[in-house]
Amino acid sequence: MVREKVTVSTRTLQWKCVESRVDNKRLCYGRFILSPLIKGQADTIGIAMRRALLGEIEGTCITRAKSEKIPHEYSTIVGIQESVHEILMNLKEIVLRSNLYGTCGAFICARGPGYVTAQDIISPPSVEIVDNTQHIARLTEPIDLCIGLQIERNRGYSIKRPNNFQDGSYPLDAVFMPVRNANHSIHSYGNGNERQEILFLEIWTNGSLTPKEALHEASRNLIDLFIPFLHAEEETLHLEYNRHKGTLPPLLFMIDWLN
């Protein structure tokens, strides 16, 4: 665990990681500060960053599993300790990291007796398994377990639908969000008109991204969302202003006054 003393800059706006730790391969924590901010700015930035961290960052999940030996999701297979449903739930929890665009295929082929874990997943080089020890199934007899997998990179979450079962394959609920949780808090200091704020951001990730990587990606995504406001509409307003020079529209008057 890394801790640093919090110091407040009175000059330019700065950010800093003040605490960082790895609890295990699938849980990382980071605490960051941004300062100095004027009153109200910390809450504006904190709310936007939390939403971007939880909803705008892409992640990678197993979204479908297929095996010829599985008659239906709630069946059991002789020689396997877990039910099919339990195996699918274990596959859903596998944490992956990738630079995929869309989907790709992977597979598991293991022979018992023994344990089947995430390290038995054969995937393309573009997909990395974060924790090879994650449990999938226990084979109690000398049988083969072969499962085809579909891996997808996306954002948000995807809920399986009852009518989405095809060719003996089973869709999985997918939570693509690599950020498990994000909080923000505000510390105020100073008096009167000199009052300023420090924004504290806490980020927990599933190990596929570090909290610092998540913070950078969320910031880039927020910037991308605001860039359109700097171009097309502004150009249109200036064209309209040049066309009707006689009267300055109220909005343009405000823009010129602010500039």
Side-chain angles (χ1 to χ4, degrees):
M1 183 173 66
V2 178
R3 286 180 179 268
E4 295 187 18
K5 185 177 179 180
V6 178
T7 57
V8 178
S9 170
T10 57
R11 298 178 182 177
T12 58
L13 195 64
Q14 295 180 345
W15 75 277
K16 189 176 185 179
C17 177
V18 295
E19 184 177 353
S20 176
R21 68 172 186 261
V22 178
D23 294 333
N24 56 61
K25 290 183 178 181
R26 287 176 279 144
L27 182 58
C28 302
Y29 171 81
R31 191 168 186 242
F32 307 88
I33 63 168
L34 179 66
S35 68
L37 298 163
I38 65 174
K39 185 178 180 180
Q41 286 183 336
D43 208 29
T44 300
I45 297 171
I47 292 171
M49 283 301 302
R50 184 176 187 274
R51 293 181 68 90
L53 285 164
L54 293 174
E56 297 295 331
I57 300 179
E58 291 187 343
T60 305
C61 292
I62 297 172
T63 56
R64 188 175 287 274
K66 179 179 180 180
S67 177
E68 296 178 355
K69 292 185 177 181
I70 301 177
H72 59 81
E73 181 179 356
Y74 298 99
S75 61
T76 58
I77 300 174
V78 176
I80 301 179
Q81 179 173 293
E82 292 81 3
S83 67
V84 172
H85 178 74
E86 289 173 325
I87 294 173
L88 295 177
M89 291 302 98
N90 291 338
L91 290 171
K92 172 186 171 181
E93 297 296 325
I94 300 295
V95 179
L96 303 171
R97 179 185 180 118
S98 80
N99 55 4
L100 280 177
Y101 292 96
T103 64
C104 73
F107 65 92
I108 298 170
C109 194
R111 181 166 181 80
Y115 290 94
V116 181
T117 63
Q119 70 177 352
D120 295 303
I121 298 175
I122 308 300
S123 61
S126 58
V127 178
E128 176 188 346
I129 298 167
V130 172
D131 184 359
N132 285 327
T133 67
Q134 282 191 265
H135 179 76
I136 296 174
R138 182 190 175 194
L139 308 183
T140 58
E141 296 182 14
I143 62 170
D144 293 322
L145 176 65
C146 295
I147 304 175
L149 305 172
Q150 176 180 282
I151 296 174
E152 181 179 346
R153 181 180 173 88
N154 211 323
R155 67 180 60 183
Y157 57 88
S158 173
I159 303 298
K160 67 180 180 180
R161 298 178 180 177
N163 59 352
N164 201 17
F165 297 84
Q166 55 188 24
D167 302 327
S169 65
Y170 299 87
L172 304 177
D173 294 338
V175 180
F176 296 103
M177 300 177 287
V179 176
R180 287 187 171 185
N181 195 14
N183 291 327
H184 82 277
S185 57
I186 301 166
H187 172 71
S188 300
Y189 62 97
N191 297 311
N193 294 332
E194 299 298 324
R195 196 163 186 80
Q196 293 182 317
E197 296 178 339
I198 306 173
L199 172 65
F200 289 85
L201 281 171
E202 294 182 287
I203 303 170
W204 292 262
T205 69
N206 66 358
S208 63
L209 287 179
T210 66
K212 186 177 289 187
E213 288 172 333
L215 183 62
H216 289 173
E217 188 166 337
S219 300
R220 284 195 298 267
N221 290 341
L222 273 180
I223 291 170
D224 290 342
L225 290 173
F226 284 110
I227 282 177
F229 289 110
L230 303 177
H231 299 298
E233 190 67 16
E234 182 178 288
E235 294 170 3
T236 303
L237 284 172
H238 282 295
L239 287 174
E240 290 294 327
Y241 171 61
N242 291 332
R243 189 180 303 170
H244 306 285
K245 287 186 177 180
T247 306
L248 184 67
L251 179 57
L252 283 178
F253 177 79
M254 289 297 296
I255 291 173
D256 289 344
W257 182 77
L258 289 170
N259 290 334

